[in-house]
Amino acid sequence: MENDMITLLKTRRSVRKYRPEPVEKERLDAVLEAGTYAPSGMNKQTATIVAVENPEDRRAVQELNCKARGGTGDPYYGAPAILLVLGDPRNSNTWVEDGSCVLSAMMHAAHALGVSTCWIHGEREMFRLPEGKALLRKWGLPEGLEGVGSLAVGYGDGPAPEAKPRKAGNIVKV
């Protein structure tokens, strides 16, 4: 049985090389709005999404991710936008799950609109560092927010990777 949603889920892939041109405002706004419709525990809608597009903040986020994870280079693969998802553990015991649903909703909405994404980790460690807390202050956000994850967002440079075979035994019917 197939339908548009199932096809969408089966065809989205993480993209790790992006063209430099930005995603059009209308498309990016649609992706961001889709994230606000993600399910959340008790419908508290606790996730905060930060869309980072300006070069100065993008560079700061890139450097912070490298510092937090001990890496070098661009962990966002040159994507022109980074969508950070943050949660507040003081307001919800499902903040990680809620933020993960937001990330998933935005990835699939982007794919439906012809925009590529890649889920990136390291945000929890990033926003525990003094530099991460300073970015939160700069953006007018509370320092108690914790990173859940982020998306590299843009137009892929080249074909999307092929799907790997699905693992056997991941479904158990009882």
Side-chain angles (χ1 to χ4, degrees):
M1 177 178 289
E2 288 289 322
N3 69 27
D4 291 344
M5 186 61 183
I6 292 171
T7 300
L8 183 78
L9 291 166
K10 287 181 173 183
T11 59
R12 193 213 69 82
R13 296 288 162 264
S14 292
V15 172
R16 291 179 175 83
K17 186 176 181 188
Y18 292 87
R19 299 190 317 249
E21 67 264 18
V23 174
E24 299 86 351
K25 179 186 179 329
E26 296 78 19
R27 284 182 199 232
L28 187 59
D29 287 348
V31 170
L32 292 165
E33 183 180 22
T36 69
Y37 283 90
S40 63
M42 297 175 57
N43 198 28
K44 287 186 177 181
Q45 303 175 37
T46 60
T48 299
I49 306 165
V50 179
V52 180
E53 295 180 273
N54 78 63
E56 177 186 329
D57 284 337
R58 192 201 177 287
R59 191 169 27 264
V61 169
Q62 174 184 330
E63 290 170 1
L64 186 57
N65 187 290
C66 287
K67 180 175 183 178
R69 296 175 71 189
T72 59
D74 183 357
Y76 302 98
Y77 304 107
I82 301 168
L83 305 184
L84 300 165
V85 176
L86 308 165
D88 191 339
R90 300 167 300 183
N91 293 334
S92 171
N93 62 356
T94 60
W95 65 278
V96 173
E97 294 85 350
D98 295 350
S100 296
C101 287
V102 169
L103 287 158
S104 180
M106 291 192 302
M107 284 190 305
H108 291 100
H111 179 54
L113 296 171
V115 177
S116 301
T117 60
C118 187
W119 186 323
I120 309 296
H121 281 285
E123 283 65 28
R124 190 162 316 161
E125 297 83 359
M126 289 166 58
F127 290 99
R128 289 181 176 166
L129 293 172
E131 298 93 332
K133 293 186 182 309
L135 277 177
L136 293 176
R137 282 191 303 274
K138 176 183 177 185
W139 298 332
L141 297 170
E143 285 189 35
L145 293 178
E146 295 267 353
V148 175
S150 66
L151 297 180
V153 180
Y155 293 107
D157 188 4
E162 291 293 319
K164 292 183 180 177
R166 300 295 95 180
K167 293 180 181 177
N170 282 357
I171 299 171
V172 178
K173 295 180 180 180
V174 293

